[in-house]
Amino acid sequence: MTVRTLNGGVIAAYRDRLSIPPDVEAIHINEGNTPLVHLPAVSDRKRNIDVYAKCEGLNPTGSFKDRGMTVALSIASHNGSKAVICASTGNTSASAAAYAARAGIQAFVVIPAGKISVGKLAQAMMHGAKVVQIGGNFDDAMDIVKRMPEEAEVTLVNSVNPFRLQGQKTAAFEVVDQLGCAPDYHFLPVGNAGNISAYWMGYVEYGDAGIVGAKPRMVGCQAARAAPFLVGAPIEEPETIATAIRIGNPQSWNLANTAVIESNGWFRSSDDEKILTAQKLLAERCGVFCEPASAVSIAGFCDEIEKGNIQDNSVVVCTLTGHGLKDPEIAISQSPEPITIPKGGEGLRDLILSSLD
Ligand code: AN7
């Protein structure tokens, strides 16, 4: 197996495995090559179950979207596109804005007003995207932007654009290249359902190429009140504190369903409280800070192992799709307030001593 150590972005690293024209010039910001971090506090030593986090928050804009956006913007630029558009719960808009900036293309992002985290909004604004907000939710925004390529000269860069999934499948390649094999289970958050579809595509392609034998069971993790795959149909009013995955009508429904069925996996959901508990567990006991939507994969794993649904001697990968700093408000609201002391420092010694008792 070739172990890729290139850090010039996912197109440079995996070009031979991407369905893109050979003369496309890569618009990249050195995305990909993210760490696969062992999580001792989540693993189960007695049962020999090892859990790793694929830390996608370490991509240039802080989420996995960059893998897809480098390909989508490279193709848009190659085709002479002057503008790109997406609907977003936040991360897609941040990534589209950054890669569009890099390409010298105007980005338009349509977001649900008041429902995207402050970090993501800051990114889209800072990178020069035209930020458009609507009173509806992500699904309403998606309906609007899908019409736009027919009405204006603009390229749609949501994951219904197949080049997005081409880029995002490289995460599965990297997991295999880093582990030396495929994991037995792969847990990941599911919102619009592009990412689980892309991972499965990557694993299948590595399987077909003879690079892996067995492929993982894909476990799609949703938030309890935004879980159309658990309901078996789109839902009108999705709600969750994990705003990134507050999506009721996933665009890649069929691909995601196929991924779960073919891999002998399953969909599952966690309520907001469990999501926040998992986020805190990761931060406090593993030193890893992810956003709430990402923690749904850890919440999912913790629940499934407790129910006895994970076999002994397994390797598990959970994708942490976005960085914790994306959503500082959630983090602060969950944590105790800072302790104020006088500027001379009185009381600090006692505080330390009493904490160590
Ligand atoms: C942190 O940014 O849909 O199932 O518009 O930001 O591939 O949609 C974000 C999705 C998981 C779900 N984790 O991935 C958007 C958007 C985080 C995310 C997902 C998203 P998909």
Side-chain angles (χ1 to χ4, degrees):
M1 187 198 327
T2 336
V3 176
R4 316 265 176 159
T5 52
L6 283 177
N7 194 18
V10 300
I11 295 178
Y14 294 105
R15 183 161 206 133
D16 53 339
R17 300 197 178 276
L18 305 183
S19 293
I20 56 171
D23 56 337
V24 168
E25 193 189 322
I27 306 289
H28 77 90
I29 324 176
N30 298 53
E31 64 293 320
N33 198 20
T34 56
L36 187 69
V37 176
H38 187 238
L39 304 177
V42 182
S43 300
D44 187 329
R45 276 181 67 184
K46 275 200 219 96
R47 296 180 51 198
N48 194 27
I49 296 171
D50 275 307
V51 183
Y52 295 84
K54 180 68 170 156
C55 296
E56 290 289 279
L58 277 80
N59 276 299
T61 77
S63 87
F64 71 98
K65 304 284 183 184
D66 296 345
R67 294 179 184 276
M69 222 43 94
T70 180
V71 182
L73 264 296
S74 298
I75 297 285
S77 177
H78 181 76
N79 292 341
S81 188
K82 297 276 182 289
V84 296
I85 193 166
C86 64
S88 184
T89 57
N91 280 323
T92 300
S93 66
S95 186
Y99 283 81
R102 191 90 184 183
I105 290 177
Q106 180 63 52
F108 294 86
V109 306
V110 183
I111 57 168
K115 294 291 185 181
I116 88 168
S117 73
V118 65
K120 299 169 189 176
L121 184 59
Q123 289 178 290
M125 294 166 100
M126 198 66 190
H127 289 301
K130 295 255 189 282
V131 180
V132 179
Q133 46 184 8
I134 60 165
N137 59 28
F138 170 85
D139 304 299
D140 301 316
M142 195 69 226
D143 288 343
I144 298 170
V145 299
K146 275 203 289 189
R147 296 201 304 263
M148 283 306 123
E150 287 161 28
E151 298 180 18
E153 273 184 51
V154 64
T155 303
L156 183 60
V157 294
N158 281 103
S159 56
V160 290
N161 176 331
F163 293 113
R164 281 277 311 279
L165 300 195
Q166 284 299 306
Q168 284 174 216
K169 76 183 180 186
T170 62
F173 297 160
E174 279 181 22
V175 168
V176 172
D177 292 349
Q178 290 169 314
L179 273 181
C181 61
D184 299 298
Y185 301 85
H186 196 127
F187 283 71
L188 77 173
V190 173
N192 211 20
N195 211 29
I196 191 170
S197 308
Y199 267 91
W200 184 239
M201 195 190 295
Y203 284 125
V204 167
E205 289 179 12
Y206 256 22
D208 291 347
I211 296 169
V212 290
K215 295 188 280 285
R217 298 178 73 173
M218 304 298 293
V219 185
C221 303
Q222 299 216 278
R225 289 175 298 145
F229 284 104
L230 279 290
V231 174
I235 55 175
E236 285 285 323
E237 300 285 347
E239 210 40 82
T240 169
I241 198 158
T243 52
I245 52 172
R246 185 173 168 271
I247 296 174
N249 186 18
Q251 298 297 306
S252 296
W253 184 281
N254 291 335
L255 287 174
N257 243 338
T258 303
V260 162
I261 293 166
E262 282 184 2
S263 72
N264 195 24
W266 66 98
F267 287 105
R268 50 147 296 112
S269 68
S270 303
D271 64 25
D272 283 359
E273 200 185 319
K274 291 254 172 65
I275 292 172
L276 294 179
T277 303
Q279 186 194 20
K280 197 88 181 155
L281 166 79
L282 267 182
E284 286 192 343
R285 301 205 36 220
C286 304
V288 174
F289 186 20
C290 69
E291 64 172 291
S294 306
V296 77
S297 61
I298 299 291
F301 169 76
C302 292
D303 190 36
E304 295 294 351
I305 194 169
E306 204 178 298
K307 286 186 183 145
N309 292 340
I310 306 296
Q311 284 192 352
D312 290 1
N313 310 311
S314 297
V315 172
V316 180
V317 171
C318 298
T319 297
L320 302 182
T321 42
H323 202 284
L325 289 172
K326 292 271 189 177
D327 200 344
E329 287 167 336
I330 293 274
I332 290 170
S333 70
Q334 277 192 86
S335 307
E337 293 219 355
I339 298 158
T340 306
I341 58 166
K343 68 179 179 187
E346 293 87 341
L348 183 55
R349 176 179 164 274
D350 289 347
L351 177 73
I352 295 169
L353 292 176
S354 66
S355 304
L356 295 178
D357 272 349

